[in-house]
């Protein structure tokens, strides 16, 4: 989405429209009111001094008999103008201070940053009061006072934002290309932070309007004979028992104007801020029924039975009817690219999909219990002790503010009814079981004191707090170094061998799956396209996607003189799966039939399943690498 | 094309208690027209070395030379870099055409038309059609963006290109196209390259020479086939054992002490040989090899060198570094 | 200086403990901030264009009187000496003398501080006690796009309250409760009922902002992977929210909340002026208007120290809640 379209998007929300209209009205009033009603506002009428609200004077009159309502309208210009002036000053100073670290280099920059940090800690009002002392009471003093009070906050925001952008690789690339500091700032940094800064400046304008009203209210802002809303409010408060309207009308004006600026800012912030991916609403897969051959029901040693599982988020269905069975002690890998739905399949099986996600299946049984019919809440103990999860990123999968030991012990307390002491002892024992040296000491440490590999082992240890029958490991080694990866995989293999635990391993890496699994399920665009024993993977793969995956990544036996296999095009968009075979647009074997009709996952009679109209056919060798994405 | 040499290069971060030596007295040569693959795990300092080479990180000691001369501080940059994450390495606000054009050195082409032609030429060089120049990065796939990043690097007419983990952020089905492109460019343009990755299989596929880095030091360096076929350093052997190999079973032959050893903390590197706390041929397994604990080993300056007192696994090698070693 | 060497030695000895390191670093930062504050307060008077004494006494005051007052205030000495004197007096607890009343500023502050401290303290407590449970409950109720109407009501209500500055809230409260309903006294500090409106006026805005922050942070935390881990452990919801989500949401909240509560200390200035509260806030305004600069200087200093105190409390709370922050902090 272009930035103009996004700003236009502000106007599409009801709040945005209301705020924009309100702001427009305030600005219009600021321009017109003094021209239209300037005379009436200054008209002295000694006959009606301090009159209460009436049909003639809607908000009553002041101590010179002037009409307060019109004075409030006319004061819009002064109030808004002074606020904008102060904001402009504050934003300018803030921008200068905020970009100083980029322009001055690290050493001077750090000094500026430190100064800004100290200033930011002091409330704006306090700064404004102090500056008001220096500049003297009056509008000309209050403008720099409020402007300078805004500056530190704005400087800090600019600093944070520009440091983020400056740390990104495209700025590094520009610097390597010899682009100078000022040019980097103007061409790369400022355009990328302009939107949040603009949003913030709008809100700052609202804030300084209110601050100005505050100063004038205290008598430190606009001085007689000038007047703004704050001054009118202060005068009105003295007579609040006689004529409440004299205080309330300027009060309402201040609130409305402040709200206008703030709401426009808020609406804009929503529009330009980090957006959650809004998937285009297109028809979900036309036919959601009966994909994958039915499995023989009721295997005695089945740990997990899944039939026709779908996961959907609104109109998008990233998992479109998958089925498989895991037997006791069996190890199955699901392989696919990002967006193929492999992780969602794992989370759905573990009953960890949160709203608005929806999980449906013809069968979803764990240890013979139907997980779909019984709400998961009713059986936390079964899942809590028999199903272990290992997630991809061990850095973020532990609660950072709780000790590792407690996080493990919690499971035993919750599901095994153990007290704190024995639960902690079990946690230490489990940490020892996953080969964590100095387990008792380590249990008292926080996650950030563990290395990545150790955390992943502790995560496996957490799963071992109960007596797991199934471990679901979602990319357990992707975030780890190769040498550490091996430790974790061999630990998984040991756990599996020791207690006959079934393992469902999710990975993008065929090599990892080969090391750990008996069977591999290849997933593409929310469906399984092939299911085969690992032993047959290298020379018995029948689906063109499986074969291409094997050739696309080099291993230690790849022929260095041959180009790698290329899979043209992009991975399928889960929001818009094609009607036929999802892989057809990238498949060298695809014909018209493939584009129209989606092949079912068919049992091949020898322990494998494949979903392809052209299984086993070999494509013409791909000669050119020049086609990636150009067709889309 | 030219030869890039790191001479005794050290890079430090922070100061005082938090000081960390990310790159510790590294010697490395990227011969003219060759691809040198630099492998190592996260925290080994390989990316820091790359950033130091292109001037993004200041060097605390040593020199970086191009054909024997120090790198120029201003003007045309003879070294260009391609980054890991193609989603962060292109300015989302700029068309890819202007991103590439920005990197063309001043005076290399004349006029707007000259620039446009040069951008078109570069895009075609990386197998993208010239009309893509008007696209914004958001309109391109990850693989296409990575090719644009390559084109931008080539726009600077570099003598050496540094590629930092350029395939790790890409989907498996896309990685092959980028690797193929790197090989084609190397062959057609004779580019010198420093190719950084954590993946030994990828390095093997593209490199002429392989350097292995561990905790800020180069522990092994040599011609690719020699390092792969006859790894001298135990760390290289461990990497090879962990790397993808078709149809390999998960077999662990490492001694238990080694399997359970924790990866070292780059902030507190161990004394002596930095690999000794997890080395299968070091003091952990062989009690008499105390030399590893207190003496840092050095490469021995041959064509294929390894910084290990017991390189090649032979127990009879002396632990004393030979004279004239590059590390002293 | 031997004391310095000794303290350095002690410091070096203790520096192994991250908590002591944190305390030492934090104390060092406090000292720097206090120094900056004191210097700023000193300079404030000297940055005033023209002669502050002339400004205070007015144009009609005789030259001799101005000169005499200048001499007693030490304004004729070189700047550095005035600075040294100022620091020396501060250490002795001498904040100067009011130009108007001739009372020691320390006495003025001593008289007025308790009223302000009570106000700020009560409002602080109210804001925290209301906003945290409210924000948490709102986050849980509206997570993942549930209950849109509740979210809308909460968001619009809190935006409105957050935008309206405390002196307007105060005016509104006075109008409704004092003028229309006659429930509460309008002004002054007399008896417990007189606290209700000022505390409410001061607490409402920050409480609503804080509640919003707590909600947003809790929502973000509920997306975190360790919450998924907690759910994978099949813990009851209550435990997931209170034991895993809340502490993490609070660590993120406290930083922003600290700034807000610091602003609350300054907010007393406005609230006190609406309610004629006999605290520092009404003193500082009348002193600025009367150009009684020594009093202004002293009160600004006290407010600044109050803010620094709040910041210190925030950092310590953060360190207690989040074990990483003692290390991250530098």
């Amino acid at each position: 989405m272009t930035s103009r379209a996004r700003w236009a998007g502000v106007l599409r929300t009801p709040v945005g429209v209301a705020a924009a209209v309100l702001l427009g009205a305030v600005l219009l009033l600021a321009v017109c009111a003094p021209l239209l009603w300037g005379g009436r506002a200054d008209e002295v009428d000694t006959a009606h001094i301090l009159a209460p609200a009436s049909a003639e004077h809607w908000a009553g009159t002041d101590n010179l008999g002037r009409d307060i309502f019109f004075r409030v309208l006319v004061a819009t210009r002064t109030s808004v103008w002074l606020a904008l002036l102060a904001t402009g000053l504050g934003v300018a100073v803030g921008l200068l201070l905020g970009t100083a670290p980029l322009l001055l280099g690290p050493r001077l920059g750090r000094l500026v940053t430190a100064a800004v940090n100290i200033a930011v800690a002091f409330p704006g009002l306090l700064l404004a009061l102090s500056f008001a002392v220096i500049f003297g009471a009056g509008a000309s003093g209050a403008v720099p006072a409020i402007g300078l009070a805004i500056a530190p906050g704005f400087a800090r925001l600019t600093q944070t934002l520009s440091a983020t952008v400056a740390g990104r690789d495209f700025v590094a690339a520009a610097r390597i290309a010899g682009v100078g500091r000022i040019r980097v700032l103007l061409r790369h940094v400022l355009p990328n932070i302009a939107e949040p800064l603009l949003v913030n400046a709008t809100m700052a304008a609202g804030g300084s309007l209110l601050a100005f009203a505050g100063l004038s209210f205290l008598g430190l802002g606009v001085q007689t004979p000038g007047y703004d809303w704050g001054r009118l409010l202060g005068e009105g408060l003295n007579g609040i028992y006689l004529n409440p309207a004299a205080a309330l009308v300027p009060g309402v004006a201040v609130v409305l104007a402040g709200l206008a600026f703030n709401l426009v800012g808020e609406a804009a912030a929503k529009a330009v801020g980090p957006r959650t991916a809004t998937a285009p609403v297109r028809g979900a897969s036309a036919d959601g029924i009966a994909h994958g051959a039915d499995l023989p029901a009721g295997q005695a040693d089945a740990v997990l039975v899944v039939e026709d599982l779908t996961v959907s988020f609104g109109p998008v269905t990233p998992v479109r009817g998958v089925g498989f069975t895991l037997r006791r002690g069996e190890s199955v890998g699901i392989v696919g690219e990002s967006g193929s739905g492999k992780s969602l399949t794992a989370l759905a099986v573990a009953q960890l999909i949160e709203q608005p996600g929806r999980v449906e299946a013809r069968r979803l049984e764990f240890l013979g219990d139907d997980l779909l019919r019984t709400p998961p809440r009713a059986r936390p103990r079964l899942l809590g002790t028999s199903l272990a999860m290992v997630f991809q990123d061990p850095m973020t999968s532990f609660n950072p503010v709780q000790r590792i030991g407690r996080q493990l012990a919690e499971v035993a307390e919750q599901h095994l009814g153990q007290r704190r002491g024995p639960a902690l002892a079990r946690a230490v024992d489990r940490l020892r079981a996953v080969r964590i040296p100095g387990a008792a000491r380590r249990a008292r440490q926080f996650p950030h004191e563990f290395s990545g590999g150790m955390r992943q082992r502790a995560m496996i240890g957490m799963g071992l707090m109960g007596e797991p029958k199934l471990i679901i490991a979602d990319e357990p080694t992707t975030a780890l170094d190769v040498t550490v990866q091996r430790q974790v995989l061999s630990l998984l293999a040991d756990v599996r061998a020791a207690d006959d635990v079934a393992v469902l391993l999710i990975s993008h890496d065929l090599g990892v799956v080969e090391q750990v699994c008996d069977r591999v399920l290849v997933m593409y665009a929310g469906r399984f396209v092939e299911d085969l024993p690992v032993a047959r993977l290298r020379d018995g793969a029948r689906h063109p996607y499986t074969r291409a995956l094997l050739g696309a990544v080099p291993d230690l036996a790849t022929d260095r003189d041959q180009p790698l296999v290329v899979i043209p095009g992009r991975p399928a968009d889960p929001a818009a799966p094609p009607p036929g075979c999802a892989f057809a647009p990238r498949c060298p074997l695809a014909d018209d039939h493939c584009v129209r009709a989606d092949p079912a996952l068919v049992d091949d009679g020898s322990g494998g399943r494949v979903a392809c109209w052209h299984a086993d056919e070999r494509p013409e060798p791909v000669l050119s690498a020049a086609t990636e994405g150009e067709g889309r | 094309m030219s030869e890039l040499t790191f001479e005794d290069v050290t890079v430090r971060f922070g100061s005082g208690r938090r000081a960390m030596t990310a790159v510790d007295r590294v010697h490395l040569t990227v011969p003219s027209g060759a691809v040198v693959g630099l492998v190592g795990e996260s925290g080994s300092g390989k990316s820091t070395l790359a950033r130091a080479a292109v001037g993004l990180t200041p060097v605390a000691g040593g020199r970086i030379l191009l054909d024997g001369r120090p790198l120029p501080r201003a003007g045309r940059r003879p070294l260009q870099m391609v980054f890991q994450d193609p989603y962060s390495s292109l300015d989302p606000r700029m068309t890819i055409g202007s991103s590439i054009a920005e990197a063309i050195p001043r005076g290399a082409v004349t006029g707007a038309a000259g620039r446009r032609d040069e951008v078109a030429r570069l895009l075609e060089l990386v197998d993208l059609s010239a009309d893509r120049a008007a696209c914004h990065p958001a309109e391109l796939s990850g693989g296409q963006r990575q090719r644009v990043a390559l084109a931008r690097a080539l726009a600077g007419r570099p003598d050496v290109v540094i590629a930092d983990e350029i395939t790790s952020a890409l989907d498996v089905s896309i990685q092959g196209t980028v690797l193929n492109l790197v090989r084609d460019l190397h062959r057609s343009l004779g580019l010198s390259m420093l190719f950084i990755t954590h993946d030994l299989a990828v390095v093997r596929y593209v490199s002429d020479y392989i350097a292995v880095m561990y905790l800020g030091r180069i522990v092994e360096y040599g011609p690719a086939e020699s390092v792969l076929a006859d790894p001298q350093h135990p760390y290289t052997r461990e990497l090879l054992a962990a790397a993808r190999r078709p149809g390999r079973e998960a077999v662990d032959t490492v001694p238990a002490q080694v399997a359970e050893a924790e990866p070292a903390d780059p902030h507190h590197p161990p004394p002596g040989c930095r690999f000794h706390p997890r080395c299968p041929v070091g003091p952990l397994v062989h009690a008499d090899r105390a030399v590893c604990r207190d003496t840092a080993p050095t490469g021995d300056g041959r064509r294929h060198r390894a910084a290990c007192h017991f390189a090649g696994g032979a127990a009879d090698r002396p632990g004393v570094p030979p004279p004239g070693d590059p590390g002293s | 200086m031997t004391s310095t060497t000794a303290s350095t030695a002690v410091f070096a000895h203790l520096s192994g403990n991250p908590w002591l390191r944190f305390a030492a670093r934090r104390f060092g930062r406090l000292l720097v901030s206090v120094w900056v504050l004191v210097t700023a307060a000193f300079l404030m008077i000297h940055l005033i264009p023209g002669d502050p004494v002339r400004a205070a006494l007015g144009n009609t005051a005789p030259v001799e009187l101005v000169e005499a007052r200048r001499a007693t205030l030490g304004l004729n000495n070189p700047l550095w000496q005035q600075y040294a004197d100022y620091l020396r007096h501060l250490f002795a607890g001498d904040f100067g003398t009011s130009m108007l009343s001739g009372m020691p500023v320390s006495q003025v502050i001593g008289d007025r501080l308790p009223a302000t401290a009570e106000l700020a303290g009560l409002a602080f407590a109210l804001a925290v006690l209301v906003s945290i449970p409210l924000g948490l409950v709102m986050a849980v109720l509206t997570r993942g796009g549930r209950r849109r109407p509740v979210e809308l009501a909460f968001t619009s209500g809190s935006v409105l309250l957050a935008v309206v500055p405390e002196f307007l809230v105060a005016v509104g409260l006075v109008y409704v409760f004092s003028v229309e309903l006659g429930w509460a006294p309008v002004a002054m500090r007399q008896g417990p009922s007189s606290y209700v409106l000022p505390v409410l006026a001061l607490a409402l805005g920050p409480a609503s902002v804080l509640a919003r922050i707590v909600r947003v942070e809790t929502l973000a935390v509920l997306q975190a992977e360790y919450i998924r881990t907690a759910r994978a452990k099949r813990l009851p919801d209550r435990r997931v929210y209170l034991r895993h989500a809340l502490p993490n949401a609070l660590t993120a909240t406290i930083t922003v909340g600290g700034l807000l509560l610091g602003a609350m200390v300054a907010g007393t200035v406005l609230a006190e002026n609406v309610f004629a509260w006999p605290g520092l806030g009404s003193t500082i305004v009348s002193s600025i208007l009367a150009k009684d600069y020594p009093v202004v200087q002293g009160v600004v200093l006290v407010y600044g120290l109050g803010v620094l105190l709040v910041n210190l409390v925030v950092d310590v709370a953060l360190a207690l809640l989040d074990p990483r922050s003692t290390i991250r902090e530098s």
Side-chain angles (χ1 to χ4, degrees), chain A residues 320-337:
Chain A
R320 305 181 294 150
V322 297
F324 60 98
T325 305
L326 242 91
R327 293 184 188 78
R328 210 176 146 74
E330 191 184 22
S331 171
V332 169
I334 301 183
V335 171
E337 294 176 80

Side-chain angles (χ1 to χ4, degrees), chain A residues 176 187 337 560 562 628, chain B residues 77 94 147 173 183 205:
Chain A
I176 296 170
R187 266 195 84 159
E337 294 176 80
R560 296 185 46 177
Q562 294 293 320
E628 190 231 334
Chain B
R77 310 289 169 105
M94 272 171 134
R147 285 193 257 168
S173 66
R183 272 167 33 119
Y205 186 71

Side-chain angles (χ1 to χ4, degrees), chain A residues 244-493:
Chain A
L248 295 183
V249 171
V252 168
V254 173
V255 170
L256 282 182
L259 209 57
F261 279 106
N262 271 290
L263 283 182
V264 167
E266 290 258 344
K270 276 223 177 88
V272 304
R275 283 155 296 134
T276 43
T278 45
V281 181
R282 268 184 257 175
S285 69
D287 53 339
I289 11 149
H291 283 281
D294 284 358
L295 292 155
Q299 285 116 334
D301 60 345
V303 172
L304 180 70
V305 181
V306 181
E307 274 180 37
D308 199 21
L309 174 83
T310 53
V311 180
S312 53
F313 291 84
V316 183
T317 310
V319 178
R320 305 181 294 150
V322 297
F324 60 98
T325 305
L326 242 91
R327 293 184 188 78
R328 210 176 146 74
E330 191 184 22
S331 171
V332 169
I334 301 183
V335 171
E337 294 176 80
S338 52
S340 62
K342 56 188 192 303
S343 288
L344 285 176
T345 305
L347 289 177
V349 166
Q351 300 279 296
L352 287 174
I353 301 267
E354 291 252 350
Q355 267 193 8
R358 263 182 62 207
V359 178
E360 286 167 76
R362 185 138 32 87
R363 270 178 86 188
L364 181 53
E365 289 174 17
F366 177 59
L367 296 176
D369 277 310
D370 187 340
L371 293 181
L372 287 172
R373 312 292 172 254
T374 332
R377 270 161 231 268
R379 51 182 73 254
R381 188 166 166 191
L382 171 75
L383 290 175
T385 56
S386 307
L387 176 69
M389 293 290 300
V390 182
F391 295 110
Q392 169 170 359
D393 190 350
M395 304 293 165
T396 52
S397 294
F398 275 104
N399 185 344
V401 303
Q402 229 181 51
R403 292 172 207 277
I404 291 276
R406 288 242 25 87
Q407 298 192 44
L408 266 72
E410 209 174 24
V411 179
E413 283 174 40
Q414 197 63 48
H415 300 303
L416 307 178
Q418 289 187 348
R419 292 177 164 280
R420 236 177 140 87
L424 203 60
R426 181 167 174 83
V428 172
D429 174 68
R430 297 290 86 187
L431 286 177
R432 211 171 283 133
V434 293
R435 302 200 284 257
I436 287 184
R441 181 177 55 87
R442 286 294 188 174
R444 287 193 299 273
Q445 287 185 330
F446 288 99
H448 70 269
E449 296 170 88
F450 276 47
S451 71
M454 202 153 40
R455 258 179 264 192
Q456 206 59 307
R457 280 186 272 157
M459 184 60 91
I460 296 173
M462 191 188 283
L464 298 182
M465 287 299 287
E467 279 173 357
K469 299 289 178 286
L470 171 63
I471 297 179
I472 299 180
D474 184 3
E475 301 266 12
T477 60
T478 308
L480 303 176
D481 283 317
V482 277
T483 49
V484 183
Q485 169 176 329
R486 199 166 57 145
Q487 292 179 344
V488 170
L489 290 182
S490 81
L491 175 65
L492 264 182

